[in-house]
Amino acid sequence: MTLTSENATYILMIEILNAFNNELIVGGIFCDLEKAFSCVNNDILLLKLETYEITGKDRELYHSYLKGRYQRLLIYNMTHHYRTLSNWALITHRVPRSFILGPLLFLLYMIDLPQIINSISTHILFADDTSIPFTHSNTTEFNSNTHKHLV
């Protein structure tokens, strides 16, 4: 089944309503990775590529594309016709959106998130949005479990 935003919302609502029906305490973590591609740590991504047996010349290609890149920011004030440039900075976190394999590399980076979440809660993943509802019958345990998984 292809997950749409409507499906994701429906699944989350069912989880919450089931918890209420079972008289459980409900809370959740809701993540919107607005700048998801900018959050990817290139060192971790390259290690994950090795884990998935992308090695040798293939890995070198990704390494050459992701490492040793620099960027700077141009600020232009149209009202005062003023422009300034920042200093060049090394990029350590980012999969370029214009790179055709960018979405695939992002998925490889995030692929083990559901496995980690499954050990603590159900989860709903849709694009760059993640919802992790927590439930428990005991307030103290609920607070402890939620805090433990947030840290």
Side-chain angles (χ1 to χ4, degrees):
M1 171 178 85
T2 303
L3 191 62
T4 65
S5 61
E6 290 84 12
N7 295 126
T9 303
Y10 176 77
I11 292 168
L12 179 60
M13 290 302 300
I14 292 297
E15 288 290 323
I16 292 169
L17 290 173
N18 284 338
F20 284 157
N21 286 337
N22 292 317
E23 298 181 5
L24 299 174
I25 301 163
V26 180
I29 301 171
F30 303 93
C31 306
D32 179 11
L33 298 176
E34 184 175 318
K35 306 233 184 253
F37 284 66
S38 299
C39 298
V40 174
N41 181 306
N42 294 340
D43 292 329
I44 293 172
L45 176 58
L46 289 169
L47 286 172
K48 284 190 172 197
L49 291 176
E50 286 181 21
T51 302
Y52 294 108
E53 298 184 10
I54 298 173
T55 58
K57 291 188 184 228
D58 294 327
R59 186 188 178 282
E60 287 177 29
L61 177 67
Y62 290 114
H63 185 275
S64 70
Y65 193 77
L66 295 171
K67 301 296 278 183
R69 291 180 158 273
Y70 289 82
Q71 70 180 12
R72 66 179 177 174
L73 180 66
L74 167 65
I75 301 171
Y76 181 70
N77 184 321
M78 291 176 30
T79 306
H80 297 93
H81 302 290
Y82 173 77
R83 71 177 241 176
T84 187
L85 284 170
S86 68
N87 293 328
W88 286 101
L90 180 65
I91 299 172
T92 58
H93 291 70
R94 187 172 167 265
V95 173
R97 285 184 180 264
S98 59
F99 185 36
I100 195 164
L101 294 176
L104 175 64
L105 292 175
F106 178 74
L107 288 174
L108 285 172
Y109 185 76
M110 300 294 288
I111 200 165
D112 45 2
L113 179 63
Q115 184 178 3
I116 294 166
I117 295 171
N118 279 342
S119 68
I120 59 172
S121 176
T122 57
H123 63 280
I124 298 103
L125 300 173
F126 175 72
D128 59 356
D129 295 322
T130 302
S131 302
I132 309 168
F134 289 97
T135 62
H136 206 285
S137 59
N138 178 289
T139 306
T140 305
E141 287 296 317
F142 173 83
N143 290 338
S144 174
N145 288 344
T146 306
H147 178 70
K148 179 172 53 175
H149 294 99
L150 280 173
V151 177

